[in-house]
Amino acid sequence: MPRYKLTIEYDGTGLVGWQRQANGPSIQAAVESALAAITGADIPIRGAGRTDAGVHALGQVAHADLARDWRPDVLRDALNAHLRPSRIAIVLAEPVPDTFDARFSAVRRHYLYRITNRRSPLTLEAGRAWLVKRKLDAEAMNAAAQILVGRHDFSTFRDAECQAASPVRTLERLDVVRQGDSIEIYASARSFLHHQVRSMVGSLEHVGAGKWTHQDLRAALEARDRRRCGMVAPAAGLYFLSVDYPKLSRDEAVPEGRDHSKQPGN
């Protein structure tokens, strides 16, 4: 069965998150329904990461096994036709080897958190950023963020219901950048704990506001105690940016007989 990699963009407002759930609409359910509509079969998809309710994505990745070959652009457009009017879109559909797994083949995941730092309420950015009215020192936040970079026990920044076997993670990047009223926080790691990014951002906000010092953040990390975490930043400001995968070797490349770019539309 030919396997396809799907790159997905979505506005998570009003959705219960990535994973199919009984209590409301999810991204997974919407894409699986679109696949069923164009193939006539129930086809499960596996995503690179589970985003919570209200979290957005610019480059979520999933894979699906279809019963026959599709030209990638035709597959993309057919899925998008059935995803309307939801704010979910297939940006790219690509044939991949059967060994590719959207979740387990990932070597790095990238997130962005957006803060709008001003007194005025949000209009165009409502539901897409965290409005913080008190002045934040982004340079202090960035300096403190480097305390969290590296391999640590992130129990302090882990949700109490996190199901990961270990709280130890290696955070490769945590950068804070101000552009006018916008503060952007970039986080990269192979994997993250449940609510880790939002927990780190909420604690960095305390540093930016002068409520915490750098040493307070370090003490919170070293305490390995969820009660020492700052507030958990709202879901609306979080974006799943992209996923990195290993480059395919020549032996792993899609077989020549499946050169979809030369196939007619289906």
Side-chain angles (χ1 to χ4, degrees), residues 103-122:
R103 179 182 176 188
F104 295 112
S105 298
V107 297
R108 191 173 296 104
R109 293 165 173 85
H110 304 279
Y111 282 87
L112 163 68
Y113 195 95
R114 299 182 62 243
I115 296 173
T116 299
N117 189 204
R118 70 183 194 190
R119 295 290 302 172
S120 301
L122 299 180

Side-chain angles (χ1 to χ4, degrees), residues 148 154 157-159 167 169 171 189 191-201 226:
L148 303 178
F154 283 99
F157 305 99
R158 176 191 193 187
D159 187 82
R169 290 292 185 272
L171 184 62
S191 64
F192 291 89
L193 300 167
H194 191 206
H195 287 173
Q196 182 181 345
V197 175
R198 290 167 57 195
S199 296
M200 294 188 301
V201 169
R226 181 63 177 170

Side-chain angles (χ1 to χ4, degrees), residues 129-156:
W130 177 20
L131 176 64
V132 177
K133 294 185 177 181
R134 56 186 177 183
K135 187 68 173 178
L136 298 179
D137 183 341
E139 291 185 2
M141 292 169 67
N142 185 61
Q146 307 321 302
I147 295 170
L148 303 178
V149 174
R151 187 170 179 82
H152 304 288
D153 181 328
F154 283 99
S155 293
T156 298

